[in-house]
Amino acid sequence: MQNGPAVRRRKLGAELRTLRTGAGLTSGDAARLVGWHQSKVSRIETGASGAKPADVRLLLDAYDVRDRQLRELLLMLAGSDDAGGRSRWWHAYRGILPPTYRDFISLESQASAMRTLETTVVPGLLQTPEYARAVTRAAVEGVDEERLDALVEVRLARQDVLRSDPPLELSAVLDEAVLRREVGGPKVMARQLERLLEAARLPQVRLQVLPFAAGAHVGLTGPFVIFSFPSTSDLDVVVVDQLTSSLYLERKEDLKAYSEAFDTLRIHALSPEDSLDYIAGIGDGA
């Protein structure tokens, strides 16, 4: 378990090592091609030190990597501000966003798919402005109105990934408690349930409800997110939120365990069609 930046360095280094060996080059060969000392190549590949976007471009050119999507993804991991033409808009909020949240947004902006279990609140990508404000006010103790406005802006701006081309594919399992917990008052909650129904009809969104009747389930340990990336599964990562930080798990055994847990949750949850009816019923007061 590591923090986000450390995970990205390790993943970037491992992928560059794979590309180098695939090109039939030793680390010494790579160093000579780009005019570096061999130790720099080794430090980047082991994740001991970070790589600048310019360094990554040199290596990708040396390895004759032409896959545009893969190049963009690796440049994003190196911190490029313009990988794929995507603006790192959250940098404008650097003064109010903790590093772990900025890193989460960075991963979310480049992921091709996101699987999430939510046990307490509606996923941020599906929140209405009013719901987002109520959740943020409750979660951030003593927040003033100016910062609250900015945090809600960030939450809403994140939702653009569902409208990008191609859009992020979102698969969410919601515990029934998410739908029953009245956040912001009856009117705010009623509009939030309507928003879930609207989002669930989008082709890139799969929404399932895990009803109380399902009893105990593997998700009782808490919410989690699994990010998947285009071109390679080696960059996939699980994010588990804690009260004061986020844990990033990227070992294959961790990814396998959480993926299997999510598949199990989907089996025990209502179908997407039945989930729509269930959400509508709660909204109608059933």
Side-chain angles (χ1 to χ4, degrees):
M1 293 182 288
Q2 307 173 46
N3 59 39
V7 167
R8 292 194 299 177
R9 284 199 307 271
R10 192 207 65 81
K11 286 182 174 295
L12 174 61
E15 188 63 22
L16 289 172
R17 182 172 61 250
T18 298
L19 292 171
R20 172 180 59 76
T21 57
L25 301 171
T26 66
S27 58
D29 295 333
R32 284 190 293 274
L33 284 172
V34 298
W36 298 345
H37 192 279
Q38 182 178 354
S39 62
K40 180 174 180 177
V41 175
S42 297
R43 289 197 304 273
I44 289 174
E45 290 186 351
T46 59
S49 64
K52 297 178 180 178
D55 294 337
V56 173
R57 288 190 182 93
L58 282 175
L59 292 173
L60 295 177
D61 289 343
Y63 305 157
D64 195 29
V65 177
R66 302 181 184 182
D67 184 320
R68 181 182 61 83
Q69 201 171 42
L70 178 58
R71 288 180 68 100
E72 290 175 1
L73 180 57
L74 296 182
L75 287 169
M76 180 276 294
L77 291 176
S80 174
D81 285 344
D82 59 356
R86 295 180 177 88
S87 170
R88 295 168 71 86
W89 55 266
W90 55 93
H91 281 190
Y93 298 89
R94 179 179 293 272
I96 65 167
L97 299 180
T100 52
Y101 191 18
R102 295 200 304 268
D103 203 63
F104 182 91
I105 297 172
S106 177
L107 292 172
E108 183 180 72
S109 71
Q110 291 292 332
S112 58
M114 174 179 173
R115 288 167 285 172
T116 181
L117 165 70
E118 288 292 348
T119 59
T120 54
V121 296
V122 170
L125 295 182
L126 303 178
Q127 292 179 5
T128 65
E130 298 78 14
Y131 185 98
R133 177 173 290 273
V135 167
T136 304
R137 190 188 298 277
V140 184
E141 185 177 356
V143 63
D144 58 56
E145 288 300 313
E146 183 177 359
R147 187 177 183 219
L148 178 60
D149 289 342
L151 290 172
V152 173
E153 286 177 9
V154 170
R155 183 67 54 90
L156 300 179
R158 285 174 48 203
Q159 297 176 4
D160 284 345
V161 295
L162 294 176
R163 298 183 288 270
S164 61
D165 185 19
L168 175 78
E169 295 182 5
L170 173 64
S171 181
V173 173
L174 308 184
D175 189 276
E176 185 173 344
V178 173
L179 310 175
R180 297 287 183 183
R181 178 171 290 103
E182 191 174 279
V183 174
K187 290 183 179 179
V188 170
M189 200 62 203
R191 176 64 190 114
Q192 180 60 70
L193 293 177
E194 291 175 2
R195 168 63 180 139
L196 288 177
L197 294 175
E198 295 166 2
R201 295 186 176 95
L202 296 173
Q204 67 270 34
V205 176
R206 180 186 178 96
L207 193 62
Q208 292 181 258
V209 174
L210 193 63
F212 289 146
H217 54 77
V218 67
L220 290 177
T221 55
F224 60 85
V225 172
I226 306 173
F227 285 123
S228 298
F229 295 88
S231 302
T232 174
S233 63
D234 289 341
L235 298 175
D236 292 358
V237 63
V238 175
V239 184
V240 181
D241 278 336
Q242 304 293 305
L243 181 61
T244 58
S245 64
S246 296
L247 300 178
Y248 291 73
L249 295 80
E250 38 78 35
R251 297 183 306 169
K252 289 185 177 179
E253 51 266 42
D254 293 326
L255 287 165
K256 182 174 184 292
Y258 276 88
S259 294
E260 290 177 349
F262 190 79
D263 289 342
T264 298
L265 290 166
R266 285 181 54 183
I267 292 171
H268 290 289
L270 301 175
S271 70
E273 296 76 20
D274 289 343
S275 294
L276 281 173
D277 293 338
Y278 206 80
I279 295 171
I282 292 176
D284 293 335

